[in-house]
Amino acid sequence: MTPSASRRTVTDRVGSGSFQRLLEVASGLEFRPHRIGHLLDARGRHSLELPAGFPFAVSLFHFREGAVTRRPTWHERLELLIPLDGPMTERMGDLEAALEPGDVLVVDHLKPHQVADSPGLDSRVVVLSFLPECLFSAGSPPTDAAFLIPFHRRIEGRPHVLRARSSLAAEAHDALARLLRFHFDLSLPHREAGCKAWLLVLLNSMIQEFRGSMLERAELLRRQALAVRLKPVLDRVRDQYAVRFPLGAAARLAGMSPAVFSRAFKRASGMTFSHYVNRVRMTHAVALLEETGESVAAIACRLGFCDQSHFDRRFRQTFGRTPSQHRAQTTGPAPECRGGRADGVSLDGDPRERRRGPVRPKR
């Protein structure tokens, strides 16, 4: 059977609606061989550099028989894996997850995992990688902790999969198709916001699929309780972000020791307290750069930075460009959108390589 015939069969089995639209979007994208062996350290850890301002990446791989990275890998970032063709098998530690086209797998990312090489393997795969703070951070409403439910500890021996035959799969496929459009079509405005919006829709489908787990509910309640306890600290940062607020003072406000506060804040938000304060300041910096005519020096002063060079360094660390460059790109007649390769990085792991122009379907 030819690949095109195989994909027609897949479409008929999964459904001709949302999954067909997902395949149509995927037909205009480039799927690369899975060759990441050179990116793994001696322990098999795969370090993927994610943008600090929006730690999210989309990787597009084409797995073929005999062309699969042999070494298993692991990493700290969260990950979803969606095969478009199949079947295929993902190994995670001692567990094997048999996957069909359109299934959405929550990768057990801290365990060594890899796609199993098998006779006839020929599958395009979408991999979504992101940090927890993309979904729920210290400044988020407590209810946002629910988006982490699919990644909480599951029943041992069972992969966490939203099956393509589920009644919730159509919503997930539609969300993924729209997410891919926002990620790869550089002509769209506010692409990162669009990616996050459709990622949340996709995760909501998975929340509904896995809503019966008591372990997940318990974890959700713990996170919500911790968010409530940290709320006075978050309010203080939100209202007085330009005022120096050392970690010790934040810990006292939360009624914790500095060590306990640091661990609790990192557990609740996925970032350190200083990282969170910087993120709040940078959010205000973007608004001031885009919506006012104030000089960069004046904005730095308003945000509590001792000098403009310090502000410039922090802004570049967060967004990959200087405040002046950001203002020129977002207020000029033809703002430049940040985009990436189909796999989120170049073949040598350099995330600075960018593609320009909207992705057009192949003819």
Side-chain angles (χ1 to χ4, degrees), residues 11 18 23 36 59 122 141 168 179 187 196 227 309:
T11 301
S18 58
L23 292 180
I36 63 169
S59 301
D122 185 7
L168 294 162
L179 185 156
S187 69
K196 180 171 182 178
S309 61

Side-chain angles (χ1 to χ4, degrees), residues 18-71:
S18 58
F19 191 70
Q20 176 62 47
R21 288 192 292 275
L22 174 57
L23 292 180
E24 289 173 356
V25 173
S27 69
L29 302 176
E30 182 180 6
F31 288 75
R32 295 179 173 274
H34 189 257
R35 296 170 181 164
I36 63 169
H38 63 293
L39 301 176
L40 309 183
D41 66 16
R43 299 178 298 156
R45 179 177 179 271
H46 179 202
S47 179
L48 176 64
E49 185 177 346
L50 300 175
F54 183 57
F56 173 85
V58 177
S59 301
L60 304 178
F61 295 118
H62 195 158
F63 292 90
R64 290 188 174 92
E65 179 183 354
V68 176
T69 300
R70 300 296 181 180
R71 293 178 60 194

